[in-house]
Amino acid sequence: MMIMKLIFLGTGAAVPSKNRNHIGIAFKFGGEVFLFDCGENIQRQMLFTEVSPMKINHIFITHLHGDHILGIPGLLQSMGFFGREKELKIFGPEGTKEVIENSLKLGAHYIEFPIKVYEIYAKEPITVYKEENYEIIAYPTEHGIPSYAYIFKEIKKPRLDIEKAKKLGVKIGPDLKKLKNGEPVKNIHGEIVKPEDVLLPPKKGFCLAYSGDTIPLEDFGNYLKTLGCDILIHEATFDDSCKDIAVENMHSTIGDAVNIAKLADVKVLILTHISARYDKDEYFNIYKENVKQYSNEGFNIIISEDLKTYDIKSLLG
């Protein structure tokens, strides 16, 4: 398995606390780093982790509330100060371009690297970025303003049945690679061998989803199941006793997040965007006890912590 890690730079909600910074999640996939949301102070949080701002080439913003975007101006300026030249791609809902344009007007800075902003206008799931070995899907959520969840889906190539290829007279060497890449070749007898003659279905790729802030959406859970989602990072701003507050503010509770994870049939659920009220031990104990009530759901439930790094392979066992 390729090296994959999740780094929680911030796990708090609208108001930062002593224990939790504003939200920001980095995902390392091989040599790439993706940043999901960028709350205030995120770049300083990176100093305590293995995440380098200069390695981030893609930023995905779920929505434009301040606790998810106010770290962007400082992050961009630091990138410029350290001489970044490589292009940065930023994805987000309607209004993201204006946010970035205004960020570039703040103070004197050295931002000379190219920045491309992609605004998302979608009422259905849509692939917003794709490479040969992965794609990023935006899923519309509900939080009072345009907002999206993001799904990282690894793309695996079909596997080659070498023994079958040999029986069909395919020469060992470059022709095998061509077949794996979907190109037909000639065998030792001059006959055409097609990829479908020797290819096996690809293995399932890793799938990660991040809800952003949203009311619980059962359709989201059902959709994730069709993708074979392994890990769901879902906001759970409040414990179940605060359901009325969650509904009023268009957020989710622990129970809401668990229900979506059950529908998605994930292996791991990570709760994040946790209210500052739980900084007090008496309330955080309530939160933890609430999580324990769901310990027999068949998947691991983790309460996210600032600066915590998870190796994906270890998480999935």
Side-chain angles (χ1 to χ4, degrees), residues 151-190:
I151 303 155
F152 172 93
K153 191 173 187 299
E154 185 181 14
I155 299 171
K156 293 278 193 180
K157 288 185 177 181
R159 296 169 292 157
L160 185 67
D161 188 333
I162 296 178
E163 292 305 315
K164 191 171 184 181
K166 287 179 180 178
K167 288 179 180 179
L168 291 174
V170 177
K171 290 178 287 186
I172 302 301
D175 283 351
L176 291 178
K177 185 175 182 181
K178 287 181 180 179
L179 284 166
K180 195 170 183 181
N181 288 332
E183 302 174 43
V185 300
K186 286 185 178 181
N187 66 9
I188 57 176
H189 308 296

XYZ file of all heavy atoms in Angstrom, residues 151-190:
318
model
N -14.607 13.693 -1.293
C -14.294 12.265 -1.255
C -13.036 12.012 -2.081
O -12.983 12.387 -3.265
C -15.460 11.438 -1.822
C -16.755 11.731 -1.047
C -15.128 9.940 -1.773
C -18.017 11.462 -1.830
N -12.039 11.413 -1.440
C -10.839 10.989 -2.155
C -11.006 9.521 -2.518
O -11.252 8.691 -1.653
C -9.599 11.168 -1.283
C -8.343 10.583 -1.881
C -7.500 11.360 -2.655
C -8.028 9.243 -1.687
C -6.354 10.817 -3.222
C -6.887 8.688 -2.248
C -6.047 9.478 -3.017
N -10.877 9.211 -3.795
C -11.051 7.827 -4.250
C -9.829 7.406 -5.058
O -9.535 7.988 -6.103
C -12.320 7.689 -5.088
C -12.711 6.248 -5.376
C -14.070 6.181 -6.060
C -14.547 4.744 -6.200
N -13.639 3.919 -7.011
N -9.132 6.406 -4.541
C -7.964 5.882 -5.239
C -8.413 5.048 -6.436
O -9.374 4.285 -6.353
C -7.130 5.027 -4.291
C -5.831 4.527 -4.876
C -5.047 3.654 -3.910
O -5.626 3.211 -2.890
O -3.861 3.405 -4.184
N -7.721 5.204 -7.556
C -8.035 4.454 -8.768
C -6.950 3.407 -8.991
O -5.763 3.735 -9.097
C -8.118 5.387 -9.995
C -9.223 6.434 -9.792
C -8.366 4.576 -11.263
C -9.241 7.513 -10.847
N -7.350 2.174 -9.020
C -6.423 1.079 -9.256
C -6.544 0.608 -10.713
O -7.642 0.535 -11.266
C -6.738 -0.097 -8.332
C -6.490 0.185 -6.855
C -5.045 0.013 -6.508
C -4.832 -0.030 -5.000
N -3.414 -0.195 -4.653
N -5.418 0.266 -11.301
C -5.428 -0.271 -12.659
C -5.819 -1.745 -12.629
O -5.602 -2.430 -11.630
C -4.053 -0.119 -13.299
C -3.697 1.312 -13.661
C -2.373 1.350 -14.409
C -2.043 2.759 -14.852
N -0.758 2.825 -15.600
N -6.384 -2.227 -13.742
C -6.687 -3.669 -13.818
C -5.413 -4.495 -13.625
O -4.316 -4.061 -13.983
C -7.240 -3.831 -15.235
C -7.739 -2.477 -15.612
C -6.820 -1.507 -14.940
N -5.569 -5.671 -13.055
C -4.425 -6.558 -12.829
C -4.207 -7.458 -14.035
O -5.156 -7.819 -14.733
C -4.665 -7.395 -11.575
C -4.756 -6.578 -10.290
C -5.264 -7.435 -9.145
N -6.661 -7.806 -9.349
C -7.242 -8.852 -8.788
N -6.552 -9.657 -8.000
N -8.515 -9.108 -9.018
N -2.960 -7.829 -14.259
C -2.616 -8.663 -15.398
C -2.521 -10.131 -14.994
O -1.866 -10.470 -14.017
C -1.271 -8.199 -15.969
C -0.793 -8.870 -17.250
C -1.710 -8.506 -18.409
C 0.636 -8.443 -17.562
N -3.213 -10.977 -15.734
C -3.121 -12.420 -15.533
C -1.934 -12.911 -16.373
O -2.086 -13.238 -17.568
C -4.420 -13.096 -15.971
C -4.457 -14.573 -15.599
O -3.374 -15.185 -15.496
O -5.558 -15.110 -15.420
N -0.759 -12.929 -15.758
C 0.468 -13.243 -16.496
C 0.431 -14.643 -17.088
O 0.848 -14.864 -18.235
C 1.704 -13.064 -15.586
C 1.826 -11.594 -15.172
C 2.972 -13.507 -16.306
C 2.985 -11.305 -14.243
N -0.071 -15.610 -16.323
C -0.118 -16.987 -16.815
C -0.986 -17.100 -18.069
O -0.635 -17.797 -19.031
C -0.635 -17.920 -15.722
C 0.311 -18.083 -14.544
C 1.702 -18.547 -14.979
O 1.778 -19.480 -15.825
O 2.694 -17.975 -14.504
N -2.105 -16.397 -18.068
C -2.982 -16.424 -19.243
C -2.301 -15.745 -20.425
O -2.421 -16.192 -21.574
C -4.307 -15.727 -18.920
C -5.362 -15.935 -19.991
C -6.716 -15.415 -19.538
C -7.783 -15.709 -20.585
N -9.113 -15.187 -20.192
N -1.584 -14.643 -20.132
C -0.867 -13.937 -21.194
C 0.183 -14.846 -21.834
O 0.353 -14.868 -23.066
C -0.223 -12.670 -20.630
N 0.883 -15.598 -20.989
C 1.909 -16.521 -21.500
C 1.280 -17.581 -22.403
O 1.805 -17.916 -23.475
C 2.635 -17.195 -20.344
C 3.596 -16.293 -19.582
C 4.236 -17.073 -18.434
C 5.204 -16.210 -17.649
N 5.799 -16.960 -16.499
N 0.127 -18.119 -21.974
C -0.550 -19.152 -22.754
C -1.005 -18.622 -24.114
O -1.082 -19.377 -25.090
C -1.756 -19.692 -21.977
C -1.385 -20.559 -20.783
C -2.624 -21.041 -20.061
C -2.255 -21.910 -18.851
N -3.460 -22.359 -18.114
N -1.311 -17.311 -24.147
C -1.754 -16.693 -25.394
C -0.578 -16.242 -26.260
O -0.774 -15.625 -27.312
C -2.682 -15.503 -25.103
C -4.050 -15.848 -24.517
C -4.809 -14.588 -24.146
C -4.854 -16.687 -25.511
N 0.632 -16.530 -25.778
C 1.814 -16.236 -26.590
C 2.308 -14.816 -26.526
O 3.031 -14.360 -27.422
N 1.945 -14.092 -25.471
C 2.438 -12.714 -25.315
C 3.886 -12.751 -24.844
O 4.230 -13.492 -23.923
C 1.571 -11.925 -24.307
C 2.144 -10.519 -24.108
C 0.131 -11.850 -24.788
N 4.734 -11.957 -25.491
C 6.143 -11.893 -25.105
C 6.290 -11.180 -23.758
O 5.667 -10.137 -23.531
C 6.954 -11.163 -26.176
C 7.118 -11.936 -27.481
C 7.880 -11.149 -28.516
C 7.027 -10.019 -29.081
N 7.712 -9.331 -30.199
N 7.108 -11.743 -22.883
C 7.375 -11.125 -21.588
C 8.228 -9.881 -21.824
O 9.254 -9.932 -22.509
C 8.120 -12.103 -20.647
C 7.297 -13.375 -20.459
C 8.399 -11.432 -19.304
C 5.932 -13.158 -19.877
N 7.779 -8.754 -21.256
C 8.498 -7.498 -21.458
C 7.534 -6.341 -21.654
O 6.455 -6.315 -21.043
N 7.880 -5.413 -22.545
C 7.060 -4.202 -22.748
C 5.611 -4.483 -23.135
O 4.723 -3.698 -22.806
C 7.803 -3.466 -23.878
C 9.209 -3.946 -23.789
C 9.115 -5.379 -23.349
N 5.384 -5.615 -23.833
C 4.016 -5.911 -24.268
C 3.069 -6.116 -23.086
O 1.872 -5.802 -23.167
C 3.989 -7.153 -25.164
C 4.483 -6.843 -26.578
O 4.677 -5.650 -26.881
O 4.674 -7.789 -27.354
N 3.583 -6.648 -21.999
C 2.748 -6.839 -20.805
C 2.296 -5.495 -20.253
O 1.141 -5.323 -19.848
C 3.526 -7.620 -19.738
C 3.826 -9.086 -20.056
C 4.633 -9.710 -18.925
C 2.536 -9.878 -20.289
N 3.214 -4.523 -20.259
C 2.869 -3.185 -19.767
C 1.830 -2.537 -20.676
O 0.902 -1.864 -20.212
C 4.125 -2.318 -19.681
C 3.878 -0.956 -19.066
C 5.172 -0.177 -18.880
C 4.894 1.169 -18.218
N 6.142 1.963 -18.047
N 1.983 -2.735 -21.975
C 1.017 -2.171 -22.918
C -0.379 -2.741 -22.665
O -1.372 -2.010 -22.680
C 1.450 -2.471 -24.349
C 2.649 -1.651 -24.823
C 2.994 -1.998 -26.271
C 4.192 -1.189 -26.765
N 4.551 -1.541 -28.164
N -0.451 -4.040 -22.451
C -1.743 -4.665 -22.176
C -2.365 -4.103 -20.902
O -3.562 -3.820 -20.850
C -1.568 -6.181 -22.063
C -1.374 -6.947 -23.369
C -0.887 -8.364 -23.096
C -2.684 -6.967 -24.176
N -1.533 -3.920 -19.877
C -2.031 -3.399 -18.603
C -2.540 -1.969 -18.761
O -3.447 -1.539 -18.052
C -0.931 -3.458 -17.547
C -1.444 -3.276 -16.131
C -0.381 -3.572 -15.106
C -0.933 -3.448 -13.690
N 0.093 -3.709 -12.663
N -1.936 -1.245 -19.708
C -2.361 0.134 -19.957
C -3.508 0.232 -20.957
O -3.886 1.322 -21.376
C -1.174 0.969 -20.451
C -0.165 1.247 -19.356
O -0.507 1.306 -18.181
N 1.093 1.413 -19.741
N -4.035 -0.953 -21.363
C -5.199 -0.944 -22.235
C -4.900 -0.979 -23.720
O -5.777 -0.709 -24.551
N -3.655 -1.318 -24.094
C -3.278 -1.362 -25.504
C -3.194 -2.813 -25.989
O -2.604 -3.665 -25.318
C -1.918 -0.705 -25.727
C -1.832 0.738 -25.277
C -0.417 1.279 -25.398
O 0.232 1.010 -26.435
O 0.046 1.956 -24.455
N -3.746 -3.120 -27.172
C -3.603 -4.468 -27.725
C -2.177 -4.688 -28.236
O -1.480 -3.734 -28.585
C -4.611 -4.482 -28.873
C -4.745 -3.042 -29.275
C -4.571 -2.241 -28.009
N -1.746 -5.934 -28.266
C -0.401 -6.256 -28.758
C -0.489 -7.483 -29.665
O -1.508 -8.184 -29.703
C 0.582 -6.552 -27.600
C 0.711 -5.348 -26.686
C 0.144 -7.792 -26.819
N 0.619 -7.749 -30.386
C 0.713 -8.970 -31.186
C 1.508 -10.010 -30.420
O 2.532 -9.699 -29.805
C 1.396 -8.679 -32.519
C 0.523 -7.931 -33.513
C 1.224 -7.798 -34.854
C 0.322 -7.089 -35.867
N 0.991 -6.968 -37.195
N 1.029 -11.255 -30.445
C 1.753 -12.324 -29.753
C 2.843 -12.895 -30.670
O 3.067 -12.398 -31.786
C 0.799 -13.409 -29.253
C 0.129 -14.161 -30.399
O 0.474 -14.008 -31.566
N -0.836 -14.987 -30.053
N 3.514 -13.941 -30.228
C 4.633 -14.506 -30.975
C 4.192 -15.115 -32.301
O 5.016 -15.368 -33.184
C 5.371 -15.577 -30.136
C 4.401 -16.682 -29.692
C 6.056 -14.944 -28.945
C 5.085 -17.811 -28.937
N 2.886 -15.330 -32.477
C 2.346 -15.893 -33.712
C 1.804 -14.808 -34.643
O 1.255 -15.113 -35.700
C 1.233 -16.894 -33.404
C 1.615 -17.949 -32.412
N 2.593 -18.882 -32.645
C 1.162 -18.186 -31.150
C 2.730 -19.656 -31.587
N 1.871 -19.255 -30.657
N 1.944 -13.546 -34.215
C 1.442 -12.449 -35.028
C -0.029 -12.178 -34.846
O -0.630 -11.370 -35.573
